Amino acid sequence: MTFEMIGQLIGGIGLFLLGMQLMTAGLKQAAGRSLKQALEAATRSRLRGLLSGTLITAAVQSSSAVTVATLGFVNAGLLTLGQSIAVIYGCNIGTTMTGWLVALIGFKIKISAFALPMIGVGIALRTMSKNGRLGHIGTAVAGFGLFFIGLDFLRASFDGLSENIPLESIGHGPLALAIFVAAGFLLTFLMQASAAVMAIALSLVHTGSITLSAAAALVIGANVGTTTTALIAAIGATPNAKRISAAHVIFNLLTGAVGLVFLMFLAGWLDQLDASRFDLVSLLALFHTLFNLTGVAMIWPLTDWMEKMLNNRFRSLEENESRPRYLDKNILTTPSLAVEAMNQELARVSRHCTRLSKEALSAETASRDKIEAEAQGIYQLVGKIAEFNQELARQNLIPEISETLPISLRVARYFSEMARISATLADYYPQFDTIQDEGLKKNLFEFKQAIIRLVDMAEIRENSSSQGYETHQLMREVKHIYQQLKSSLLEQAVKGRMDNAESMALLDAVSQLQRLAEQAEKASSHWSSTLPVHERGPLHKEQTQA
């Protein structure tokens, strides 16, 4: 193999991967919310999930992009684990589109006749509209051209390869097929792109460097090799990410094993096909498609069992409330999904704060150690949200999303302060017990009950888009009771019914209760501003006049 051939091979792979990357990035950006809307259709049934995964992956030419989007939908509660598994099945089918593109266009048409003009047109569109949809389409068009130019270099580098490196000498038996499977796995692991390995396999068949069965084994290895991407992405990820990655690994390993067994029986027949009569490149693309379709047909009845098994396998991590459940670094590259994940985590913190505040306000049942432990868990969650927020801010964000990030941090800070105040309320229980006046006791009880109602109302519930009007109104009532309670305490001190130190301690205690209510009300009023504008609830007429 000459130095020129090696250079063509490396350059061809590089151009192919660069073209794929530009094509995928451009199509993702041009699609905008269409990707989200298409995946939302998958929420209706598993069959729709399968079709959505197939069509979207075929359109954007990136199974990893669809997998990350699916993860975001699972974390946001829009997809069940079973539906997301169906989308993953579809992703595997959708990846076969690359093989068909190469087989039907790459080796049938003179590439320079259309690839170079596509690059020129794409760059022109990109220049005219850098950040608009037209510019993103231009990026995809230019990437499409580079994709085929890279393929042309690959094909040229393999011409005459059999004369320099006799790959057929490896043999045709089961051991030889296993070697090619291992080669496909290793190449996919190194390049993190099964499409590139598919292109190499198609090029080798086109130039006659390897047999059809050997190329099919290479494709099986590439399919199994995609599991390494899922495993790497699952390191330190959320429980849902680990479940989806595990489903991806189970599917690919099972279909790979079954595919290899069938290939061993069919290898002799495949290798006897006459290249002059049959289009071996198209047959390899067909094998790739049938291989994945067969895998889906086999594992589809096992989806319920897989979902139950994966839920049980990762349950312990979800029960650890101090761990983020929705934040995952893998979705940072899709900001709209990252914002949704962060809002889901904020809603979860809100539920923890509601429970903690109510426990702290109930002196009869509150446990100082338990409340402090729960508060520490909330501090940790808020810290993780802040870190995620900062990492998201480093991405290339549109103004609509960028404007929500400081508000999310503010809401997180309100929750952290609610936890801190709740953890300190136990210190004031002795002061409350010193109150002798029945009227003052009644006012204090009403004050606590009003705060509990407000904290309950302020809790961020599923699909909440309220702009806090109700809590704002209730906060007025809390402030009114607070002023009455403060006046009563001062009156008791002036009349000498309690000493100054006692009255100051009680004033400080009720002030902390008031501050707890304020933090809950502020979190509720700012919550909807953490959502994209199109998802915010309408302002009430009374609120717009306030």
Side-chain angles (χ1 to χ4, degrees):
M1 193 171 187
T2 65
F3 180 77
E4 182 182 358
M5 292 175 65
I6 295 173
Q8 282 186 327
L9 175 60
I10 295 174
I13 292 173
L15 284 172
F16 184 89
L17 292 176
L18 178 60
M20 284 287 295
Q21 186 179 25
L22 290 175
M23 187 166 55
T24 298
L27 289 170
K28 279 174 59 183
Q29 293 292 336
R33 290 177 184 158
S34 299
L35 175 63
K36 177 180 176 179
Q37 292 169 352
L39 271 177
E40 282 177 343
T43 61
R44 300 178 188 175
S45 69
R46 285 182 185 169
L47 183 58
R48 284 179 177 268
L50 175 69
L51 294 174
S52 296
T54 301
L55 296 176
I56 297 171
T57 304
V60 302
Q61 287 296 295
S62 175
S63 60
S64 60
V66 181
T67 301
V68 168
T70 303
L71 171 61
F73 272 71
V74 174
N75 280 340
L78 298 176
L79 283 177
T80 65
L81 180 60
Q83 290 164 342
S84 71
I85 291 173
V87 174
I88 296 302
Y89 297 163
C91 286
N92 281 271
I93 299 173
T95 56
T96 64
M97 179 58 67
T98 303
W100 287 110
L101 279 175
V102 174
L104 299 178
I105 300 177
F107 296 141
K108 301 289 179 64
I109 302 173
K110 187 178 180 182
I111 289 177
S112 59
F114 71 92
L116 290 175
M118 287 182 74
I119 295 174
V121 171
I123 294 301
L125 293 174
R126 181 69 181 173
T127 303
M128 288 188 293
S129 175
K130 288 186 178 180
N131 295 316
R133 174 168 289 189
L134 193 63
H136 297 313
I137 292 174
T139 300
V141 171
F144 204 65
L146 282 174
F147 170 89
F148 284 108
I149 287 179
L151 180 64
D152 198 33
F153 275 102
L154 274 178
R155 181 178 60 185
S157 67
F158 288 129
D159 280 334
L161 179 65
S162 57
E163 299 175 3
N164 296 278
I165 303 177
L167 293 176
E168 289 191 356
S169 63
I170 295 176
H172 304 279
L175 180 59
L177 294 178
I179 291 173
F180 279 106
V181 169
F185 178 89
L186 182 61
L187 287 171
T188 304
F189 172 71
L190 293 175
M191 292 189 288
Q192 290 294 295
S194 60
V197 180
M198 183 67 190
I200 290 173
L202 290 165
S203 300
L204 288 170
V205 169
H206 178 74
T207 58
S209 300
I210 61 175
T211 62
L212 185 57
S213 64
L218 205 61
V219 169
I220 292 175
N223 254 46
V224 177
T226 59
T227 60
T228 60
T229 304
L231 290 172
I232 291 171
I235 297 174
T238 61
N240 279 328
K242 291 180 178 179
R243 291 188 181 102
I244 294 173
S245 296
H248 184 55
V249 170
I250 292 171
F251 172 77
N252 284 50
L253 288 178
L254 181 61
T255 54
V258 174
L260 181 58
V261 171
F262 277 105
L263 182 59
M264 288 178 179
F265 287 104
L266 296 174
W269 177 75
L270 291 174
D271 293 342
Q272 290 177 1
L273 294 176
D274 187 355
S276 62
R277 295 179 58 194
F278 296 95
D279 184 353
L280 299 186
V281 174
S282 296
L283 285 177
L284 181 59
L286 179 62
F287 170 81
H288 189 203
T289 302
L290 292 176
F291 162 67
N292 280 285
L293 287 173
T294 303
V296 172
M298 286 191 309
I299 205 167
W300 188 266
L302 303 176
T303 303
D304 287 333
W305 166 83
M306 189 190 302
E307 181 181 8
K308 182 178 179 181
M309 183 270 292
L310 291 175
N311 275 323
N312 291 334
R313 173 66 181 81
F314 294 102
R315 180 181 293 178
S316 59
L317 288 176
E318 285 202 52
E319 290 174 348
N320 187 344
E321 293 184 347
S322 66
R323 287 176 177 264
R325 186 174 297 175
Y326 303 103
L327 305 184
D328 194 286
K329 292 183 179 180
N330 293 313
I331 61 174
L332 284 170
T333 54
T334 310
S336 60
L337 294 177
V339 168
E340 289 185 10
M342 188 161 56
N343 287 339
Q344 287 291 321
E345 203 68 63
L346 282 171
R348 182 169 168 249
V349 175
S350 173
R351 294 191 289 273
H352 292 342
C353 283
T354 299
R355 185 186 66 232
L356 177 63
S357 299
K358 290 164 70 174
E359 288 177 357
L361 287 166
S362 303
E364 303 82 10
T365 61
S367 166
R368 182 190 295 264
D369 292 339
K370 183 175 182 293
I371 288 176
E372 181 60 35
E374 291 183 5
Q376 288 297 328
I378 291 173
Y379 301 153
Q380 291 180 35
L381 274 175
V382 168
K384 294 294 184 182
I385 291 171
E387 291 176 9
F388 189 84
N389 188 294
Q390 291 173 348
E391 292 184 22
L392 179 57
R394 298 189 188 104
Q395 307 297 315
N396 185 20
L397 305 177
I398 60 174
E400 182 183 354
I401 290 179
S402 182
E403 290 169 0
T404 67
L405 300 187
I407 303 171
S408 296
L409 280 180
R410 175 179 290 187
V411 172
R413 171 62 182 164
Y414 292 145
F415 289 145
S416 180
E417 188 65 8
M418 283 181 68
R420 187 195 66 78
I421 295 170
S422 298
T424 61
L425 286 183
D427 297 334
Y428 297 103
Y429 294 158
Q431 275 74 35
F432 294 145
D433 291 337
T434 62
I435 298 176
Q436 300 297 322
D437 185 84
E438 292 299 324
L440 198 56
K441 284 184 178 181
K442 181 180 178 182
N443 286 343
L444 179 61
F445 176 78
E446 291 177 352
F447 187 47
K448 284 186 175 182
Q449 291 303 306
I451 293 174
I452 289 174
R453 291 199 304 276
L454 188 148
V455 168
D456 259 333
M457 187 178 292
E459 180 183 315
I460 299 169
R461 293 176 173 84
E462 186 176 0
N463 299 324
S464 173
S465 60
S466 169
Q467 299 213 18
Y469 173 73
E470 294 84 359
T471 53
H472 180 71
Q473 291 294 98
L474 185 53
M475 189 64 204
R476 292 182 180 179
E477 180 184 339
V478 170
K479 287 181 178 179
H480 178 69
I481 300 174
Y482 170 65
Q483 293 299 329
Q484 287 182 325
L485 186 58
K486 189 165 69 171
S487 296
S488 297
L489 285 170
L490 291 172
E491 184 180 351
Q492 293 283 322
V494 169
K495 291 181 178 180
R497 295 176 183 172
M498 62 176 64
D499 58 38
N500 288 332
E502 186 180 357
S503 63
M504 289 298 103
L506 282 170
L507 283 170
D508 189 26
V510 296
S511 176
Q512 289 299 311
L513 292 175
Q514 160 83 352
R515 182 165 171 75
L516 175 63
E518 286 177 344
Q519 300 305 301
E521 190 268 335
K522 286 179 180 178
S524 174
S525 63
H526 285 85
W527 161 249
S528 67
S529 297
T530 66
L531 303 170
V533 172
H534 67 282
E535 294 182 11
R536 297 179 189 174
L539 285 169
H540 290 269
K541 182 178 179 182
E542 296 89 346
Q543 188 176 359
T544 59
Q545 295 174 348

